[in-house]
Amino acid sequence: MKKILLSIFIISAILLSGCKSLSREGSLLTQAKNQEEAGNYYGAVVNVVESIKIDNEYEDAIRFLIDVYPRSIDKYSAQVDNLKSTGGSNDEIVKYYTYLKTINDSVRGLPPLINPDTKMTAEFAYRDYSKELNAANELAAEDHYQAGLRLLKMSGRENAKTAAEEFEETLAYSPGYKDAEALKQKAIE
Protein backbone atom coordinates (compact mmCIF):
# COMPACT_ATOMS: atom_id res chain seq x y z
CA MET A 1 0.00 0.00 0.00
CA LYS A 2 2.85 2.37 0.85
CA LYS A 3 4.45 1.70 -2.56
CA ILE A 4 1.22 2.54 -4.35
CA LEU A 5 0.79 5.77 -2.39
CA LEU A 6 4.42 6.69 -2.99
CA SER A 7 4.04 6.02 -6.73
CA ILE A 8 0.88 8.13 -6.89
CA PHE A 9 2.63 10.92 -5.00
CA ILE A 10 5.64 10.90 -7.34
CA ILE A 11 3.47 10.86 -10.47
CA SER A 12 1.33 13.66 -9.06
CA ALA A 13 4.39 15.72 -8.21
CA ILE A 14 5.73 15.36 -11.74
CA LEU A 15 2.41 16.29 -13.29
CA LEU A 16 1.90 19.25 -10.98
CA SER A 17 5.40 20.57 -11.56
CA GLY A 18 4.59 21.00 -15.25
CA CYS A 19 7.81 19.34 -16.27
CA LYS A 20 8.85 21.31 -19.35
CA SER A 21 11.11 18.56 -20.65
CA LEU A 22 8.03 16.47 -21.37
CA SER A 23 6.27 19.29 -23.24
CA ARG A 24 6.62 20.18 -26.92
CA GLU A 25 8.65 23.28 -26.08
CA GLY A 26 10.85 21.23 -23.74
CA SER A 27 11.43 18.67 -26.46
CA LEU A 28 12.41 21.42 -28.89
CA LEU A 29 14.85 22.86 -26.36
CA THR A 30 16.39 19.42 -25.90
CA GLN A 31 16.74 19.09 -29.67
CA ALA A 32 18.32 22.56 -29.79
CA LYS A 33 20.87 21.61 -27.15
CA ASN A 34 21.67 18.38 -28.99
CA GLN A 35 22.14 20.31 -32.24
CA GLU A 36 24.46 22.76 -30.51
CA GLU A 37 26.53 19.92 -29.03
CA ALA A 38 26.82 18.45 -32.54
CA GLY A 39 28.08 21.82 -33.83
CA ASN A 40 24.88 22.59 -35.76
CA TYR A 41 24.19 26.09 -34.47
CA TYR A 42 21.65 26.72 -37.22
CA GLY A 43 19.54 23.79 -36.00
CA ALA A 44 20.05 24.89 -32.40
CA VAL A 45 18.71 28.39 -33.04
CA VAL A 46 15.82 27.21 -35.21
CA ASN A 47 14.68 24.71 -32.57
CA VAL A 48 15.02 27.03 -29.60
CA VAL A 49 13.11 29.76 -31.47
CA GLU A 50 10.30 27.27 -32.11
CA SER A 51 10.33 26.41 -28.41
CA ILE A 52 10.02 30.08 -27.47
CA LYS A 53 7.21 30.60 -29.97
CA ILE A 54 5.23 28.04 -27.98
CA ASP A 55 6.06 29.62 -24.62
CA ASN A 56 7.77 33.02 -24.77
CA GLU A 57 8.33 32.94 -21.00
CA TYR A 58 10.21 29.62 -21.03
CA GLU A 59 13.26 30.74 -19.07
CA ASP A 60 15.57 27.85 -19.95
CA ALA A 61 14.92 28.36 -23.65
CA ILE A 62 15.47 32.12 -23.38
CA ARG A 63 18.76 31.56 -21.53
CA PHE A 64 19.85 29.09 -24.19
CA LEU A 65 18.94 31.50 -27.03
CA ILE A 66 20.85 34.35 -25.35
CA ASP A 67 23.89 32.04 -25.24
CA VAL A 68 23.69 30.28 -28.59
CA TYR A 69 22.54 33.12 -30.88
CA PRO A 70 25.76 35.19 -30.83
CA ARG A 71 27.89 32.05 -31.08
CA SER A 72 25.93 30.94 -34.15
CA ILE A 73 26.45 34.32 -35.81
CA ASP A 74 30.17 34.21 -34.99
CA LYS A 75 30.56 30.66 -36.28
CA TYR A 76 28.84 31.17 -39.63
CA SER A 77 30.39 34.60 -40.18
CA ALA A 78 33.83 33.06 -39.61
CA GLN A 79 33.02 30.27 -42.07
CA VAL A 80 32.00 32.81 -44.72
CA ASP A 81 35.18 34.83 -44.11
CA ASN A 82 37.30 31.70 -44.33
CA LEU A 83 35.66 30.59 -47.58
CA LYS A 84 36.11 34.03 -49.11
CA SER A 85 39.77 34.28 -48.09
CA THR A 86 40.62 30.80 -49.38
CA GLY A 87 38.64 30.98 -52.61
CA GLY A 88 36.05 28.55 -51.33
CA SER A 89 32.88 27.48 -53.07
CA ASN A 90 30.26 30.13 -53.69
CA ASP A 91 27.67 27.40 -53.08
CA GLU A 92 29.00 27.05 -49.52
CA ILE A 93 29.09 30.82 -49.06
CA VAL A 94 25.42 30.97 -50.09
CA LYS A 95 24.63 28.20 -47.60
CA TYR A 96 26.21 30.06 -44.69
CA TYR A 97 24.69 33.42 -45.64
CA THR A 98 21.33 31.65 -45.81
CA TYR A 99 21.93 30.32 -42.29
CA LEU A 100 22.85 33.80 -41.06
CA LYS A 101 19.82 35.41 -42.65
CA THR A 102 17.43 32.72 -41.40
CA ILE A 103 18.86 32.84 -37.87
CA ASN A 104 18.55 36.63 -37.75
CA ASP A 105 15.06 36.67 -39.24
CA SER A 106 13.78 33.97 -36.89
CA VAL A 107 15.09 35.67 -33.74
CA ARG A 108 13.93 39.08 -34.98
CA GLY A 109 10.43 37.62 -35.41
CA LEU A 110 10.11 36.80 -31.71
CA PRO A 111 8.26 39.08 -29.32
CA PRO A 112 10.43 40.96 -26.79
CA LEU A 113 11.90 38.43 -24.36
CA ILE A 114 12.76 38.97 -20.71
CA ASN A 115 16.22 37.80 -19.72
CA PRO A 116 15.48 35.56 -16.71
CA ASP A 117 18.76 36.52 -15.06
CA THR A 118 18.59 40.32 -15.37
CA LYS A 119 14.78 40.68 -15.61
CA MET A 120 15.44 43.13 -18.45
CA THR A 121 14.54 42.83 -22.10
CA ALA A 122 16.96 40.49 -23.84
CA GLU A 123 18.86 42.23 -26.61
CA PHE A 124 20.12 40.58 -29.76
CA ALA A 125 22.47 42.20 -32.28
CA TYR A 126 20.67 41.90 -35.60
CA ARG A 127 22.22 42.30 -39.00
CA ASP A 128 20.50 42.11 -42.35
CA TYR A 129 22.39 39.69 -44.57
CA SER A 130 20.12 40.17 -47.60
CA LYS A 131 22.66 42.11 -49.69
CA GLU A 132 25.45 39.65 -48.98
CA LEU A 133 23.17 36.70 -49.71
CA ASN A 134 22.00 38.25 -52.98
CA ALA A 135 25.59 38.93 -54.07
CA ALA A 136 26.63 35.37 -53.16
CA ASN A 137 23.65 33.98 -55.09
CA GLU A 138 24.78 35.92 -58.16
CA LEU A 139 28.33 34.60 -57.85
CA ALA A 140 27.11 31.02 -57.43
CA ALA A 141 24.77 31.46 -60.40
CA GLU A 142 27.69 32.66 -62.53
CA ASP A 143 29.81 29.69 -61.43
CA HIS A 144 27.12 27.23 -62.53
CA TYR A 145 26.42 29.22 -65.71
CA GLN A 146 30.08 29.05 -66.73
CA ALA A 147 30.23 25.33 -65.90
CA GLY A 148 27.17 24.79 -68.09
CA LEU A 149 28.76 26.71 -70.97
CA ARG A 150 31.95 24.63 -70.71
CA LEU A 151 29.91 21.41 -70.77
CA LEU A 152 27.84 22.57 -73.76
CA LYS A 153 31.04 22.94 -75.77
CA MET A 154 31.86 19.28 -75.17
CA SER A 155 30.26 16.55 -77.18
CA GLY A 156 28.12 13.77 -75.77
CA ARG A 157 24.69 13.33 -74.31
CA GLU A 158 26.00 13.01 -70.75
CA ASN A 159 27.77 16.37 -71.00
CA ALA A 160 24.59 17.97 -72.33
CA LYS A 161 22.59 16.47 -69.47
CA THR A 162 25.08 17.76 -66.91
CA ALA A 163 25.08 21.18 -68.63
CA ALA A 164 21.28 21.31 -68.26
CA GLU A 165 21.69 20.52 -64.55
CA GLU A 166 24.25 23.34 -64.22
CA PHE A 167 21.84 25.79 -65.86
CA GLU A 168 19.09 24.55 -63.54
CA GLU A 169 21.37 25.32 -60.58
CA THR A 170 22.06 28.74 -62.10
CA LEU A 171 18.34 29.46 -62.17
CA ALA A 172 17.88 28.18 -58.62
CA TYR A 173 20.39 30.74 -57.39
CA SER A 174 19.17 33.54 -59.62
CA PRO A 175 15.86 33.11 -61.47
CA GLY A 176 16.02 34.59 -64.97
CA TYR A 177 19.83 34.67 -64.96
CA LYS A 178 21.13 35.73 -68.38
CA ASP A 179 20.04 33.16 -70.99
CA ALA A 180 20.34 30.16 -68.67
CA GLU A 181 16.76 29.01 -69.35
CA ALA A 182 17.32 28.97 -73.13
CA LEU A 183 20.65 27.21 -72.72
CA LYS A 184 19.07 24.64 -70.43
CA GLN A 185 16.44 23.91 -73.08
CA LYS A 186 19.16 23.69 -75.75
CA ALA A 187 21.08 21.20 -73.61
CA ILE A 188 17.94 19.09 -73.06
CA GLU A 189 17.18 18.89 -76.80
Side-chain angles (χ1 to χ4, degrees), residues 93-109:
I93 292 171
V94 167
K95 178 175 86 173
Y96 292 122
Y97 273 134
T98 300
Y99 286 176
L100 287 163
K101 184 174 181 331
T102 303
I103 287 168
N104 271 278
D105 291 349
S106 64
V107 173
R108 186 178 293 150

Side-chain angles (χ1 to χ4, degrees), residues 109-154:
L110 290 171
L113 303 173
I114 302 301
N115 182 328
D117 299 326
T118 65
K119 305 299 183 215
M120 301 191 61
T121 302
E123 294 188 20
F124 299 96
Y126 301 115
R127 179 173 170 200
D128 184 3
Y129 288 93
S130 297
K131 288 181 183 175
E132 292 91 339
L133 178 57
N134 290 339
N137 275 325
E138 290 297 310
L139 291 171
E142 181 64 20
D143 289 349
H144 287 281
Y145 182 82
Q146 291 300 323
L149 289 177
R150 282 190 300 277
L151 287 161
L152 270 183
K153 292 178 183 176
M154 299 176 176

Side-chain angles (χ1 to χ4, degrees), residues 1-2 8 14 61 75 79 85 88 91 94 96 112-113 116 123 135 150-151 156 165-166 169 179:
M1 181 70 169
K2 285 183 180 181
I8 291 172
I14 290 172
K75 176 182 177 175
Q79 286 180 312
S85 69
D91 293 345
V94 167
Y96 292 122
L113 303 173
E123 294 188 20
R150 282 190 300 277
L151 287 161
E165 291 169 359
E166 290 291 343
E169 283 292 313
D179 58 347

